[in-house]
């Protein structure tokens, strides 16, 4: 039994039109009109496939296919439809479309599973508009409260709850608190390993832990002309020293990662010494000790720079989740599926966070990676081969069949 590769590709390309950018990417930020349009299309496709659709209080969407044991805990598979501001056509969307294709293929082959199967779409996985990243799957898993998620505000001050209501997806279903028999997520690797090693399938055994901060550097606005260099309290200059330190700390060990992706400089005028600079720090590592090492290094460097440059530097943690290991049996179901289908495969640890990382805290979970061109993602040129996407979806079908039997 195989999925319908053409239908999977067509669904991906249809969804990619919603928020399409001139460079071939997708900008579909969470809880915007474009997100609503994508959600409406997804819900329509689920209903066409005979799935019962429900929406929970943070906008997570679940589309349920009946099983013989109608009330039993379902096997679930899904991902996210929101993208980065300069996102691609596959990050997240592939996992939602692959899960929908599994449901469609079970219908095509008139398969009645013992357990119900649900397709899931998690709100705000990317965390680029609202913190925390992976917030809605985190609420489902009890890592965050619903109030915390609904109260988050974007840079314009709009709350998650207001934006969710504005697009009509403030659902009535409770957030979490229900058992899942298993969870699988298909995703592009977003790194170069599979492509470089000639593997089609990544059997994902776990994911790096993450710790994010917002750093606020405060100095003094001053005139760029009359103010002598030695009297300045230049917030952007202080931030630049600390940003170099983030990069240095992350290079100390092989699997550590350190990124400054967001920076706001005030007053951001060409002839004013900046008085305030706010920037993000994203640390990742295979163990919490590595995250602790980088945090301690960051705080020590900040204290030194603050004293030398006569600045105030505040460091506020915004995201933390420990490294995760996926469920051995679910990982084996993925590995066995890839083996049975004859796809070259390798075990791999995810450098990216995914909703599966939170769901793994409440249900046996695993992920399936497929290659993306050049390992590039979070970039409008993100690309993947139809045959690899189909292979990953076939492995997902095998894993779902194994767990719903
Ligand atoms: O940041 C991540 O790892 C994911 O793309 N949200
Ligand atoms: Mn993703
Ligand atoms: Mn992403």
């Amino acid at each position: 039994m195989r999925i319908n590769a053409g239908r999977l590709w067509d669904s991906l390309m249809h969804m990619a039109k919603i928020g399409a950018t001139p460079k071939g990417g997708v900008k579909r930020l969470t809880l915007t009109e474009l997100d609503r349009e994508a959600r409406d299309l997804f819900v329509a496709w689920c209903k066409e496939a005979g799935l019962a659709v429900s929406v929970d209080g943070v906008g997570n969407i679940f589309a349920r296919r009946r099983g013989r044991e109608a009330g039993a805990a379902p096997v679930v598979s899904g991902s996210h439809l929101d993208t980065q501001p300069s996102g691609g056509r596959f990050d997240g969307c592939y996992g939602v479309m692959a899960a929908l294709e599994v449901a469609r293929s079970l219908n095509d082959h008139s398969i009645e599973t013992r357990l119900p199967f649900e397709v899931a779409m998690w709100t705000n996985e990317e965390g680029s508009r609202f913190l925390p990243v992976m917030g809605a799957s985190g609420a489902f898993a009890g890592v965050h409260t619903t109030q915390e998620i609904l109260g988050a505000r974007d840079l314009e001050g709009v709350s998650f709850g207001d934006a969710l209501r504005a697009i009509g997806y403030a659902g009535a279903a409770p957030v979490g608190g229900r058992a899942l028999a298993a969870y699988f997520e298909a995703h592009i690797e977003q790194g170069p390993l599979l492509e470089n090693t000639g593997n089609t399938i990544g059997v994902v055994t776990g994911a790096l832990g993450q710790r994010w901060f917002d750093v606020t550097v405060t100095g003094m606005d001053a005139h760029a002309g009359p103010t002598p260099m030695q009297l300045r309290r230049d917030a952007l200059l202080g931030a630049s020293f600390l940003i170099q330190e983030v990069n240095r700390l992350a290079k100390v060990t092989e699997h550590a990662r350190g990124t400054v992706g967001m920076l706001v400089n005030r007053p951001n005028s060409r002839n004013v010494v900046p008085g305030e600079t706010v920037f993000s720090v994203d640390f990742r590592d295979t163990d919490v000790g590595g995250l602790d090492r980088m945090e301690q290094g960051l705080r020590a460097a900040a204290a030194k720079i603050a004293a030398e440059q006569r600045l105030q530097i505040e460091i506020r943690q915004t995201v933390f989740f420990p490294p995760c290991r996926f469920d051995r049996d679910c990982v084996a179901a993925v590995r066995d599926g890839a083996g049975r289908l004859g796809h070259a495969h390798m075990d791999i640890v995810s450098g990216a966070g995914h909703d599966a990382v939170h769901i793994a805290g409440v249900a046996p979970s695993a992920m399936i990676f497929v290659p993306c061109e050049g390992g590039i993602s979070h970039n409008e040129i993100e690309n993947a081969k139809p045959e690899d996407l189909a292979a990953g979806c076939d492995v997902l079908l095998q894993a779902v069949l194994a767990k719903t039997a």
Side-chain angles (χ1 to χ4, degrees):
M1 192 162 94
R2 292 288 187 277
I3 57 102
N4 182 324
R7 182 172 55 195
L8 172 63
W9 181 258
D10 291 347
S11 298
L12 280 164
M13 291 306 106
H14 190 153
M15 196 56 87
K17 290 186 187 129
I18 303 174
T21 63
K23 291 187 192 168
V26 179
K27 178 177 183 179
R28 192 167 58 228
L29 292 184
T30 195
L31 304 186
T32 58
E33 272 309 299
L34 288 171
D35 186 13
R36 181 194 53 71
E37 201 181 325
R39 287 164 174 261
D40 290 350
L41 178 60
F42 169 61
V43 167
W45 282 343
C46 289
K47 288 180 176 170
E48 277 169 24
L51 307 180
V53 175
S54 67
V55 182
D56 75 10
V58 290
N60 295 321
I61 301 173
F62 303 95
R64 187 180 182 104
R65 184 175 189 271
R66 285 175 57 82
R68 269 195 311 284
E69 298 176 13
V75 170
V76 179
S77 180
S79 192
H80 59 96
L81 289 177
D82 66 304
T83 74
Q84 287 286 335
S86 56
R89 297 173 293 168
F90 304 101
D91 175 1
C93 191
Y94 169 54
V96 180
M97 294 300 105
L100 175 59
E101 177 52 35
V102 165
R104 287 164 163 170
S105 296
L106 291 171
N107 289 346
D108 290 349
H109 294 84
S110 306
I111 301 280
E112 187 193 40
T113 57
R114 177 175 67 84
L115 296 180
F117 172 61
E118 284 187 14
V119 180
M121 189 241 69
W122 306 104
T123 304
N124 188 37
E125 188 279 343
E126 292 292 3
S128 52
R129 181 183 177 193
F130 296 102
L131 283 173
V133 65
M134 299 139 53
S137 55
F140 182 91
V143 172
H144 305 296
T145 65
T146 298
Q147 287 62 39
E148 177 193 346
I149 297 303
L150 296 176
R153 291 188 181 277
D154 66 12
L155 290 178
E156 275 70 52
V158 176
S159 77
F160 184 110
D162 286 347
L164 184 67
R165 279 183 289 277
I167 66 166
Y169 276 90
V175 179
R178 67 184 176 102
L180 308 182
Y183 176 75
F184 293 99
E185 183 164 350
H187 207 287
I188 53 170
E189 178 200 341
Q190 301 180 295
L193 278 183
L194 294 177
E195 197 178 51
N196 291 352
T197 55
N199 283 290
T200 306
I201 300 295
V203 181
V204 190
T205 56
L208 296 184
Q210 300 190 24
R211 189 171 274 157
W212 294 16
F213 301 93
D214 277 353
V215 180
T216 303
V217 182
T218 308
M220 171 75 79
D221 292 9
H223 198 302
T227 313
M229 296 308 286
Q230 70 279 17
L231 296 185
R232 295 178 177 202
R233 295 172 55 214
D234 184 334
L236 185 54
L237 179 68
S240 72
F241 296 141
L242 203 47
I243 290 166
Q244 293 282 349
E245 185 63 8
V246 167
N247 188 266
R248 188 195 65 78
L249 287 162
K251 285 177 176 171
V252 170
T253 60
E254 183 194 356
H255 295 292
R257 305 283 187 270
T259 310
V260 173
M262 181 278 287
L263 184 142
V264 177
N265 187 50
R266 297 188 181 101
N268 214 36
S269 169
R270 289 177 176 77
N271 51 357
V272 179
V273 176
E276 182 181 76
T277 303
V278 181
F279 63 90
S280 63
V281 177
D282 170 335
F283 282 141
R284 305 187 187 201
D285 209 335
T286 50
D287 60 54
V288 177
L291 296 175
D292 290 345
R293 172 187 65 81
M294 291 189 282
E295 177 179 2
Q296 285 149 19
L298 179 74
R299 291 185 183 281
K304 183 166 178 294
I305 292 161
E308 288 168 356
Q309 301 292 326
R310 295 177 299 117
L311 301 166
Q312 277 88 44
I313 301 180
E314 183 216 341
I315 298 173
R316 182 173 64 85
Q317 180 178 298
T318 55
V319 167
F320 169 68
F321 51 87
C324 117
R325 292 196 62 73
F326 289 129
D327 174 78
R328 285 168 58 89
D329 289 344
C330 288
V331 170
V334 170
R335 191 180 295 115
D336 296 348
R340 254 197 317 279
L341 293 166
H343 293 305
H345 57 280
M346 64 180 278
D347 285 10
I348 190 169
V349 172
S350 175
H354 299 285
D355 295 307
V357 165
H358 284 323
I359 304 307
V362 292
S365 301
M367 291 188 74
I368 301 158
F369 276 175
V370 295
C372 54
E373 196 174 313
I376 301 292
S377 181
H378 282 194
N379 185 315
E380 291 166 283
I381 65 167
E382 179 186 277
N383 197 17
K385 291 179 186 155
E387 57 271 27
D388 289 346
L389 297 165
C393 192
D394 273 320
V395 171
L396 177 62
L397 174 61
Q398 292 297 315
V400 168
L401 285 170
K403 285 294 179 181
T404 52

